[in-house]
Amino acid sequence: MKRVLLFMAIIPILMLLSGCWDRYELEERAMILAISIDVTDDREEVEKYEVTHSKGDFPVREDQKYYKLTAQLAVPGKIMLGPGGGETNSEDTDWLLVTYGYTMKDALSNLQQELAEKIYLGHIQIIVVSEEIAKNGISEIMDFLRRDYEVRRSAWLMITDGGEAQDILNATPPIQTVPSLYLSNTLKDAVRFGKLPKEFLGKIWIDFSDIGVDAMIPLVKSMGDHILVHGLAYFKGDKMVGKLTPTDTGAILAIQGMNPAGYSNVVETEDQSGVYLIKPQRRKSKISVKLVDGEPKVTINVKIEGFVEEQNHVNDLSKDRLEELEKTLSNYGEKALSKLMKRLQQDESDILGIGARVRAKYPKYWHEKVKDDKGWYEVYKDLDIQIHLDYKIRRVGMEWK
Amino acid sequence: MKHTDSISSIQMAIIIASSIIGVSLMVLPRFVASKVGEAAILASVVGLLISFLSVLAITLLGRKYRNYTIIGCNRLILGKFVGNLMNYMIILLTIFLMGLEVRQFSEVLASGLLPNTPIEISIALMIILCALVGFHNVSTFAYIHTFYLPFLLIPMVFFILAFEDMESYHLLPIFGHDLSFFEFISGAFEMSSTITNFFVISLLIPYIKDNESMVKNGIRGFFLGGLAILYTIIVALGVFGVKELEQIHWPVLSLSRVIEIPGEVLSRVDAIILITWIFAVFTTLLSYFFVIVRGTAEIFRTNRFAFISTIMIPIIFVVALIPNNVYEIFEYVITIAKIVTALFILLPFGLIVIGRFRKKVGVQ
């Protein structure tokens, strides 16, 4: 009798312990690999769906935005892994779906209504946001992404440089089987080779939350069947206020002391006879904040070690020449960096997190004079920032001269 | 009480360490940071020291009355009536704490891992799992903790990979912004109230072989667990910063999602962290259940552990279902945990002092 009872107790426990309410087979999931978000004026499209609310019931604000969301879905079974995958074209493996909505979740609910499989966001690689949304503030589309547990913090957020965000997802390069993997790899490699700072979704969220730090987000441009990494968009609060070219991006990375360096520097000799391309190899920087007479003062010391990549018009590389180049580069670089810094200060975008450093080092000053983000922008605008650049050229490549 | 099985004081140290690393680890960085801001590290250290007082008091009491558990001590020193009143209170508070901790655990599962699994199932299974262990043998309990401890500590190595995302301005100033002393101490106290369940050792005292080194090893075990918790808080604070920590529901879960292993050997570390966290939850809950079952058994002077654990399953299950939403859970947890912390600092010290006056000597 006791045995029977025990048996009866064990069976349900075994079944429950291995029970799978949350079992979803791969074929039952609509795997979204990338989404792009645009604003649209087409209100009829937005009002057409009646999924989360009845017609006209959505509490529309005066400045209500109407979103157009494009999702790139992976077609299960079509993606070939390993060798043999070369035969499938990227156009066959993915599927672009366009939906509209008042908010992110509204749009995704509408999308779900069109799909048989359950939407799965766990493999999302790319979120492309149009420049227009970025300029009006992107915090509205962030809440859903933060709240949803499937979205990974390591996904990439990009801003389009003009044009529609949807165009980015249309980039279907012939060499990669999955377009969104191509896009995310492009960004990942750009970070690895020092062309972009490591600004993924999670980092951007932290920058938005932090006091005295503004976010920067990679900027991309559609080139038809591929994309161009076109620098950075810098923010003030949750609004985009300007763009940095790739050269400026390199400068920002230099100020941050990030390695490796992705961009070469062009320099002309003093007598204008030759033009050289120098590639930075190792960079070090120190951003120090000091309080002088009750006002913050910032000194940024950047040290760069580089090597000669190319010599044009002349053939006379020597020790003296290198020293001359070093001097020109240091002077010119200092000016360029200071100019860039001035621009950021004018636009009140503190992407280097100087405010956070002041707040961390001088909490008393912060509470008396600055108080919050708004107070900081006032201080930041006229902040005394000194940049010192020390450029050293160590190597010249396979050529002696 | 006669007994044949025994454990060493090193095993006791391991029990302390694996008990305090538990459910609360997921939320601790947010708890502390939202209370004291950037002073979280310092407040955690002070909080750990407050808890440390309790560990010290319990082990000192144990050294003095080496044949009695805290239940027995209460009866011996405070007399039958007051002592039993205390004992009932300990058991009742532990039941509530365990219920709420199980609920917290299943809330994480429900919103972060298994959205469609009914929350009742994950609650019930965890309690049943604890009940299945059986509490006849103290050494079995010690072995389970010893077995799981490496699984709790080793995956924390992964957090090293998050070091590169840490910012110094997230950690400074270490005294926080505009923080009054009272706010600081209440933050520290909150920290210590989330790691209360090392008090399971107060029921293990008669079983410890090497009574002399108990205090020493108790301190070691506590610091092993405490350092692991402190390390997690520092990494979470350094990566996220206070403002972001206040936003995130489970910072450590989010932290494990930031981590990427170089070379992409594993694409998601969060699964590993979640699994180890489930081990941590299990050992923590097991300690609570141990207190409940062994404590009740001693109050009623019986050995029918299986019977008591079976009865306790539905009781804890019901307690776990009391809170209506995630905010209420934390409200209840904090209130009850604070009482428990105060009780487990004051009670052992009080017993030592009163015992001296009443000249009750435990060592025969």
Side-chain angles (χ1 to χ4, degrees), chain B residues 2-29:
Chain B
K2 273 187 184 174
H3 55 82
T4 46
D5 63 331
S6 59
I7 60 172
S8 69
S9 63
I10 291 175
Q11 276 175 316
M12 180 198 77
I14 289 169
I15 290 172
I16 297 178
S18 87
S19 290
I20 61 178
I21 304 173
V23 188
S24 55
L25 189 71
M26 278 280 162
V27 286
L28 248 180

Side-chain angles (χ1 to χ4, degrees), chain B residues 199-211:
Chain B
F199 64 63
V200 64
I201 57 163
S202 64
L203 279 114
L204 293 172
I205 282 157
Y207 301 92
I208 294 167
K209 269 185 299 193
D210 42 348
N211 215 291

Side-chain angles (χ1 to χ4, degrees), chain B residues 5 95 138 141 157 177 192 197 215 224 232 236 245 276 278 287 296-297 332 336 359:
Chain B
D5 63 331
I95 288 175
V138 175
F141 174 72
V157 174
H177 286 283
S192 64
N197 64 346
V215 178
L224 178 64
T232 314
L245 275 184
T276 55
I278 290 172
S287 292
T296 318
Y332 294 155
I336 293 172
K359 296 210 174 62

Side-chain angles (χ1 to χ4, degrees), chain B residues 5 7 133-146 286:
Chain B
D5 63 331
I7 60 172
V133 168
F135 295 94
H136 273 285
N137 236 328
V138 175
S139 48
T140 319
F141 174 72
Y143 282 136
I144 291 173
H145 276 288
T146 319
L286 192 64

